[in-house]
Amino acid sequence: AAKRKLESEFNQLGGDLDEMSNEAKLSEDKAARAMVDAARIADELRSEQDIAISLEKDKKLLEAQTKDVAARADEAEVNALKGGRKAMIKMETRIRELESEVDAENRRNGDVCKNLAILSAPSRS
């Protein structure tokens, strides 16, 4: 009876050992899959970090270019306004010159008309 009991316990222990071996194999398989997943996720993370770094560099470059273009646009606007003012001053000066010329021409024309009137008037001698 003791022998049967021992054999029964031995068989029970053998079954428990097989069950534990199977569970250990399943756990090892799960651990291996988890390690593969962890490695894949780590690679994806590195890739995303590289993309983020690249995008940040591009962003900084674009911001610098935007500032440069804005500064050049402001400078062009200032220069255009200066050029416009200079052109206005030049035009106003030219208008005054032409007005002076017209006044001088009108005076000469008036003098010519007076001289013609004097010459064409009947002489009273």
Side-chain angles (χ1 to χ4, degrees), residues 4 21 36 38 42 51-52 69 72 76 78-81 100 102 119:
R4 250 185 284 145
S21 292
V36 169
I51 290 170
V69 168
R72 290 197 329 234
V78 167
N79 289 337
L81 289 174
S100 295
V102 167
L119 291 175

Side-chain angles (χ1 to χ4, degrees), residues 15 18 22 26 103 106 108 116 120 124:
D18 289 342
N22 286 336
L26 287 175
D103 289 344
N106 283 337
R108 278 189 294 252
L116 278 176
S120 62
R124 299 185 188 147

Side-chain angles (χ1 to χ4, degrees), residues 6 29 68:
L6 285 175
D29 290 345
D68 183 47

Side-chain angles (χ1 to χ4, degrees), residues 16-115:
D16 289 348
L17 179 62
D18 289 342
E19 187 178 330
M20 289 165 76
S21 292
N22 286 336
E23 286 178 10
K25 184 166 178 10
L26 287 175
S27 293
E28 287 175 3
D29 290 345
K30 283 183 183 179
R33 283 194 303 271
M35 288 174 59
V36 169
D37 287 345
R40 180 183 48 80
I41 291 171
D43 286 343
E44 289 176 8
L45 176 61
R46 274 190 294 277
S47 176
E48 292 297 325
Q49 286 173 333
D50 290 344
I51 290 170
I53 289 169
S54 176
L55 289 174
E56 189 63 30
K57 286 179 184 176
D58 290 346
K59 177 185 170 190
K60 287 180 181 178
L61 178 64
L62 288 173
E63 285 173 348
Q65 289 175 341
T66 301
K67 285 181 182 178
D68 183 47
V69 168
R72 290 197 329 234
D74 289 345
E75 183 180 339
E77 183 179 1
V78 167
N79 289 337
L81 289 174
K82 284 181 185 176
R85 279 191 219 110
K86 286 180 182 177
M88 288 277 290
I89 291 169
K90 199 172 186 180
M91 289 174 139
E92 289 171 353
T93 302
R94 183 66 180 140
I95 288 170
R96 283 193 293 277
E97 289 172 357
L98 291 172
E99 286 172 343
S100 295
E101 288 179 25
V102 167
D103 289 344
E105 198 61 39
N106 283 337
R107 282 192 299 277
R108 278 189 294 252
N109 188 27
D111 291 343
V112 168
C113 287
K114 285 180 192 173
N115 289 336

